[in-house]
Amino acid sequence: QVQLVESGGGLVQAGGSLRLSCAASGTMFSTNTMGWYRQAPGKQRELVATITNGGTTTYIDSVKGRFTISRDNAKNTIDLQMNNLKPEDTAVYYCNAKYYSIRLYDYWGQGTQVTVSS
């Protein structure tokens, strides 16, 4: 079982920055992918960024050049540095960890609110 705990959300003005962190505890297969998803009111949850244990990253187009995902494998943590935030980035951000070992194991954090005012 893996537990994910997020921190770092808050309220910021447009153009500002926030850094989200997620700490994973428990046993996780060494080959895994961690990432951040977000869900705005009335919208479906969407993938924001992912990073593999090897450091390969992916981003949705709307955050490329503004957000940076990173991880510390030794500490089992990932961060999301969010710069030049826009009101449309307002959402609850969720940390996710997944890996395959015979079947898919998929874990979620409780979410942290990010609000960007115009």
Side-chain angles (χ1 to χ4, degrees):
Q1 190 74 4
V2 173
Q3 290 187 325
L4 304 173
V5 178
E6 301 109 333
S7 61
L11 173 64
V12 65
Q13 288 188 330
S17 298
L18 283 174
R19 188 177 184 89
L20 305 182
S21 296
C22 174
S25 61
T27 301
M28 190 159 56
F29 195 61
S30 58
T31 302
N32 60 75
T33 297
M34 296 184 71
W36 293 94
Y37 290 68
R38 66 187 181 187
Q39 187 167 18
K43 295 188 177 181
Q44 289 188 332
R45 189 174 297 189
E46 65 174 355
L47 172 68
V48 176
T50 64
I51 185 167
T52 68
N53 56 289
T56 300
T57 59
T58 62
Y59 298 91
I60 57 169
D61 287 345
S62 61
V63 307
K64 286 180 179 178
R66 300 189 297 122
F67 291 10
T68 302
I69 190 170
S70 59
R71 69 185 286 168
D72 184 329
N73 287 331
K75 296 181 179 179
N76 274 342
T77 59
I78 62 168
D79 291 336
L80 185 69
Q81 178 65 43
M82 305 184 293
N83 298 327
N84 190 22
L85 282 160
K86 303 176 180 181
E88 51 264 41
D89 294 318
T90 295
V92 178
Y93 283 70
Y94 296 90
C95 180
N96 174 264
K98 54 171 60 72
Y99 63 92
Y100 289 90
S101 179
I102 301 177
R103 67 170 180 89
L104 172 65
Y105 291 82
D106 196 12
Y107 299 98
W108 294 91
Q110 80 283 358
T112 185
Q113 177 71 46
V114 171
T115 303
V116 184
S117 63
S118 57

